[in-house]
Amino acid sequence: MAANPRSAGALSYIAVERSEKQRQLHPEGIESVGELAASRIGEGFTGMVVANELLDNLSFAPVRWVDGTPHYGHVDVASGVGSPCSAGDDELVEVFLPRPERDSSYLLRGRSRYDQREAGDLIDWLRSDVFASGKILVFDYAKQRSEDVRVRTYSDHGRAGEPLIGLGTKDITIDVDLEALQQRFGPPTTTMPQAEWLANHGVSELVDEGKAIWEREAATGGLDALRAISRVREAEALCDPQGLGGFTALEWLV
Ligand SMILES: C[S@@+](CC[C@H](N)C(=O)[O-])C[C@H]1O[C@@H](n2cnc3c(N)ncnc32)[C@H](O)[C@@H]1O
C-alpha cells in the first residue's frame, strides 16, 4: 500500500489472518478477514495470493518410517514411551503410531520426516477451486530436500528450542518441504532466494528513491523523509542472505 502503484485503483487488498489479536493490529483502511473462503472472493478469482510466512505456520505431523509404513507423531503425557521432554510438571512424550486410514500420498516414501498436508492442501485449493487466473506467491523458509526439513520454534523473535518444552509459550513452525510440494504440483513457475526476487522487482530503485527523498527533505524533517531513509535498513534486512534474504520466494502461475 505504501508503494501506491499506478494500478492501486483497480485492486482490492484483503489481509487474511486467523488470529483476531493480530487482525486488530492491522492498520486502518485495510480489509481484514479471518479466512479466505472461496465465497469471499467469489468464483473465478483473478489476482494474486501472497503468503508471507504462512505455510511454515500451518500444522504438520512428524513421521517415522517403520518397516516401510509411516507412523505419525502424537503427543502424550509420559508413560514411559518415546523420549521424555520436561514441560513444567508434566513430561510430554512423542509417540509414533500407524494411521492406516491416512492418505500417505503427501509423503516421499521412506524419506519424509514431516507430513505437511495442510500447506499442500492450501495450494491445491487455490489452484483448483479459487483462481481463474493469477499467481500464488509464497515467501518462506524452505528446504529443497525433504531430509533437510526441521522444526523451528520461536518466541519473542528468537529461536526457542525443543517444541514440547514450554508447550504453549512458543510458536512451533517448520521449514517448507519443497520436494514434497514438487512431488504433488510439479515445479513452481519460479523459485529463488527472496533477495534475488526483491532485486528483480526493483528493491534498489526503491532504496535510491528513498535516499533522494531524504536528501531533498531531510532539512525540513518530517515523517515522510524518515520513512524514505528507513528503506535503506529495511532493504538490507530483507536482502540479508543470512536472514530474510535467504528465505525462498516461490511463484505458481495459474
Ligand atoms: C509468521 S506470521 C506472518 C504474518 C503475516 N503474513 C506477515 O507477513 O507479517 C504467520 C501468521 O499466520 C497466521 N495463520 C496461521 N494459520 C492461518 C490460516 N490457516 N489462515 C490465516 N492465517 C493463519 C498466524 O496467526 C500468524 O499470524
Side-chain angles (χ1 to χ4, degrees), residues 187-202:
T189 316
T190 67
T191 312
M192 64 188 79
Q194 171 165 302
E196 193 180 332
W197 191 94
L198 287 168
N200 291 347
H201 288 78

Side-chain angles (χ1 to χ4, degrees), residues 101-158:
E101 81 293 352
R102 206 173 158 111
D103 173 9
S104 61
S105 67
Y106 295 80
L107 302 173
L108 295 157
R109 188 142 293 282
R111 292 178 49 219
S112 298
R113 296 182 67 240
Y114 299 95
D115 178 330
Q116 298 185 21
R117 68 187 55 208
E118 287 208 17
D121 284 348
L122 175 68
I123 295 193
D124 200 19
W125 173 68
L126 290 171
R127 284 168 38 126
S128 321
D129 296 346
V130 174
F131 274 106
S133 74
K135 188 188 272 187
I136 304 168
L137 172 58
V138 168
F139 297 101
D140 224 314
Y141 29 89
K143 291 284 191 261
Q144 295 290 346
R145 293 172 352 125
S146 262
E147 41 271 74
D148 296 333
V149 168
R150 297 285 179 274
V151 171
R152 296 177 176 223
T153 58
Y154 288 94
S155 80
D156 293 329
H157 303 287

Side-chain angles (χ1 to χ4, degrees), residues 56 94 97 122 129 140 161 167 201 211 221 224 247 249 252:
D56 69 78
E94 239 181 334
L97 301 170
L122 175 68
D129 296 346
D140 224 314
L167 198 64
H201 288 78
K211 286 181 187 158
D224 284 345
F247 281 24
W252 281 274

Side-chain angles (χ1 to χ4, degrees), residues 11 44-50 130-136 252-254:
L11 304 175
F45 170 69
T46 297
M48 187 160 171
V49 167
V50 183
V130 174
F131 274 106
S133 74
K135 188 188 272 187
I136 304 168
W252 281 274
L253 285 176
V254 185

Side-chain angles (χ1 to χ4, degrees), residues 3-5 19 22 28 40 66 72 75 98 143 185 198 204 244 253:
N4 193 23
S19 150
Q22 290 291 337
E28 288 288 314
R40 170 66 192 80
V66 181
Y72 293 89
V75 177
K143 291 284 191 261
F185 304 116
L198 287 168
S204 347
L244 293 168
L253 285 176

Side-chain angles (χ1 to χ4, degrees), residues 43-74:
E43 274 176 26
F45 170 69
T46 297
M48 187 160 171
V49 167
V50 183
N52 186 50
E53 288 187 61
L54 173 67
L55 300 191
D56 69 78
N57 221 251
L58 301 178
S59 65
F60 60 89
V63 173
R64 298 288 175 273
W65 293 86
V66 181
D67 298 330
T69 310
H71 286 46
Y72 293 89
H74 298 70

